[in-house]
Amino acid sequence: MRVTVNIAPLCRRNLVVTRTTKAAFQQRALATTTSTLPTSTPEGSKEAKPVQKKKHLVFGNRGPSLQDFLSKSNLKENDPKLANAVAEDVPYLSVKGRKLGAGAKYFVEVYGCQMNVNDTEILMSIMNGAGYTKADDQGDADIVFLVTCAIRENAETRIWNRLAELKRKKMRPQKDRAPLVGVLGCMAERLKDKLLDSDKMVDLVCGPDAYRSIPHLLSISETTRQGVANVMLSADETYADIVPMRIAPDSFSAHLSIMRGCNNMCSFCVVPFTRGNERSRAVDSILQEVKQLSDQGIKEVTLLGQNVNSYRDTSEDGVQLAAGVGAELSNPGFNTIYKRKDGGMRFTELLDKVSLVDPEMRIRFTSPHPKDFPTALLHLMAARPNICSQIHMPAQSGSTAVLSKMRRGYSREAYFELVDNIRSIVPGVALSSDFITGFCGETEDDHKDTMDLMRRVEYEMAYMFMYSRREGTHAGRRLQDDVPEDVKLRRLQDIIQIFHKGAENRFSARVGNPAGECVLVEGRSKRDKNRWVGRADGGFKIVFDDDLVLPTIKSSLTTPSTRGTAGKVSIKLGDYVQVVTSSATSTSFQGKAIARTTLTEFSRYQSQLQGGRPWAGLSSSSMPMVSNVGLGAARAQA
């Protein structure tokens, strides 16, 4: 029996095709397993008979890859006609023009972070390009994909529960064969063997760097009735040439991945092991995609990466266009566990170029690391009206001792200095953070330091969790998870209360701001369909009244409020509107819409109210350039 395989190996984007015997795969494939299980043996025998487990085909960074099977002797043994064939020349699995899906339907369930949402959009583009179509309902699908998260134990538990549910559906009597189940994303590399051995739960496992191979993995699984996996981590895969198929085509917001992987090696984190080392997309491909989104009417783009602000484009264009702006760390109190490399275009310069594509398109970015906030980046954010004044600053702990165990590369004092620097440079900036309670060896004094940091900073948003041990991480291998669960829970409740109090203080201080808030209209409120809901520049939610508003802020200053509906216009999805807030909780605002506006007009109005000197007629050509907003003279000299 012949097995047909087409998988993208490490560090290569072109698909490689080979053909070999099933027996050869079973001898050499990484995940082909044999185990010795207790069985009945003749009395007095001390040896148990080896029992063969179900064979799986797994290709990863450890052990033989498909390249190992590409030898002339192998090909000649199986088919003499192919003795002189090159892998890419095998015709029956040519990638170009081949529609492997032949109309089969797939369904995707997404779990976890925004990066997984973007990965799903890449997956959908790959599947559609191979001839598959997206099913609107899981019951109509031939393949069900779960795009998974492995960052915490609860996330993995959700996936196992969902797999058990899908298995029960598989076992029900039905006329048609049950759909194949594929587990993709961060759980793939860590748990590939467990997933494939999970008693008919999973047919396919694929890591974040191997989505191009999924159509052919499906072909293998259907042909051989074997579990199959590709969990290779790539040194250069960024999917830059794939145009994502947007999950929500009617939305005015979009995500755009600019880099993948992480080099930080924080002791608690699995990301470097599930997504590999950092690699960045070329700047030209990013700018091209931003331009396409602008042409489609997108009003807000979020730049994504596991460590988004460590972006470094080393392509030919990136090196030639780089002016050396923003290459330094946030302040002298930050360091890295790895040796930072010089050269290439850094995040500050990329953000500069992205923000100039469309001055009326908001730009956000996540998730950054506190070490990568050079002063030049902060000045750029302050100068550009379309770069949102929102910064995610994952502290993880307020204790220097715990931060050291976490291998975060900074002290609480360095973090405080960065917060002060950000708030002094970027007016009205909204800060968010991540916190872990009950990390290995965390004492009550450490916990008090974390509570103190949260009280002093007062975040607008925070993501807070109890520590859960992750296999394979430095903490999982070297540190003792010694804080009892009840203590972790109590500490988590402590910081949640402190966060809500701090956020309420910050939000209350913003209520009634004379300039109001510039809100991107997202839709109707779920609680009251007669009211609108949208996001302000700082990322927080605002629920507001009024379907009719004045067409501009300028008209709202000259039109008497007693004129009723005369001269007013209707609010539409995707509009920017000026909203004056009237109340706030720790999670959202209430307010009233005054006028439709633009980012340029709103910024000018804010500047006027603050007594500053507004820029005249902001446009893509007149917005301040890097060299003009305190980012250094390198650009001017280039």
Side-chain angles (χ1 to χ4, degrees), residues 259-270:
M259 57 89 69
R260 300 175 73 86
C262 183
N263 293 344
N264 291 320
M265 298 300 290
C266 299
S267 65
F268 55 83
C269 186
V270 298

Side-chain angles (χ1 to χ4, degrees), residues 49-69:
K49 295 180 180 180
V51 177
Q52 294 286 334
K53 280 187 178 180
K54 180 181 177 181
K55 301 297 188 299
H56 306 302
L57 304 179
V58 179
F59 302 94
N61 294 74
R62 300 183 182 91
S65 73
L66 286 182
Q67 293 283 35
D68 297 313
F69 304 128

Side-chain angles (χ1 to χ4, degrees), residues 103-117:
K105 293 184 177 182
Y106 67 92
F107 185 81
V108 188
E109 298 180 11
V110 191
Y111 300 82
C113 65
Q114 291 168 312
M115 199 71 176
N116 276 2
V117 174

Side-chain angles (χ1 to χ4, degrees), residues 312-374:
R312 187 175 73 96
D313 176 18
T314 57
S315 68
E316 183 177 350
D317 286 344
V319 172
Q320 290 180 352
L321 295 174
V325 177
E328 68 275 14
L329 293 175
S330 302
N331 63 52
F334 289 84
N335 57 72
T336 62
I337 196 171
Y338 60 93
K339 183 178 180 180
R340 283 170 63 86
K341 297 180 179 179
D342 297 325
M345 180 177 290
R346 299 284 181 170
F347 182 69
T348 301
E349 293 181 290
L350 171 71
L351 191 61
D352 170 39
K353 292 181 177 296
V354 168
S355 68
L356 292 174
V357 171
D358 183 352
E360 292 302 322
M361 175 191 283
R362 273 182 174 169
I363 308 298
R364 302 185 189 275
F365 57 89
T366 196
S367 177
H369 190 285
K371 74 178 189 302
D372 294 309
F373 280 102

Side-chain angles (χ1 to χ4, degrees), residues 102-262:
K105 293 184 177 182
Y106 67 92
F107 185 81
V108 188
E109 298 180 11
V110 191
Y111 300 82
C113 65
Q114 291 168 312
M115 199 71 176
N116 276 2
V117 174
N118 184 252
D119 279 3
T120 299
E121 294 177 335
I122 291 170
L123 166 68
M124 290 163 56
S125 182
I126 291 170
M127 294 296 290
N128 285 19
Y132 294 86
T133 56
K134 183 176 178 293
D136 294 326
D137 184 83
Q138 184 253 308
D140 298 330
D142 301 292
I143 310 109
V144 176
F145 294 118
L146 306 185
V147 182
T148 64
C149 173
I151 196 70
R152 292 178 182 85
E153 185 177 358
N154 286 344
E156 289 188 3
T157 300
R158 289 181 64 194
I159 300 300
W160 286 113
N161 290 341
R162 181 63 177 132
L163 288 173
E165 183 179 347
L166 290 172
K167 179 190 173 183
R168 287 193 293 271
K169 291 182 179 180
K170 271 190 172 186
M171 304 306 291
R172 293 174 186 168
Q174 48 193 337
K175 293 181 180 179
D176 300 325
R177 189 171 64 86
L180 297 175
V181 175
V183 172
L184 317 181
C186 291
M187 280 181 66
E189 167 61 28
R190 296 185 63 250
L191 300 171
K192 55 184 178 294
D193 296 325
K194 185 176 179 181
L195 285 165
L196 290 175
D197 288 336
S198 57
D199 193 18
K200 300 181 181 179
M201 280 187 181
V202 178
D203 303 285
L204 176 151
V205 176
C206 187
D209 292 348
Y211 294 147
R212 296 176 191 267
S213 68
I214 286 178
H216 296 294
L217 294 177
L218 289 169
S219 178
I220 297 169
S221 182
E222 288 189 302
T223 302
T224 67
R225 302 301 183 196
Q226 290 177 286
V228 62
N230 186 357
V231 291
M232 288 183 176
L233 293 176
S234 172
D236 64 355
E237 178 63 270
T238 62
Y239 300 107
D241 59 318
I242 294 178
V243 178
M245 178 180 170
R246 295 177 57 216
I247 291 177
D250 296 330
S251 173
F252 288 88
S253 299
H255 299 100
L256 192 160
S257 173
I258 66 169
M259 57 89 69
R260 300 175 73 86
C262 183

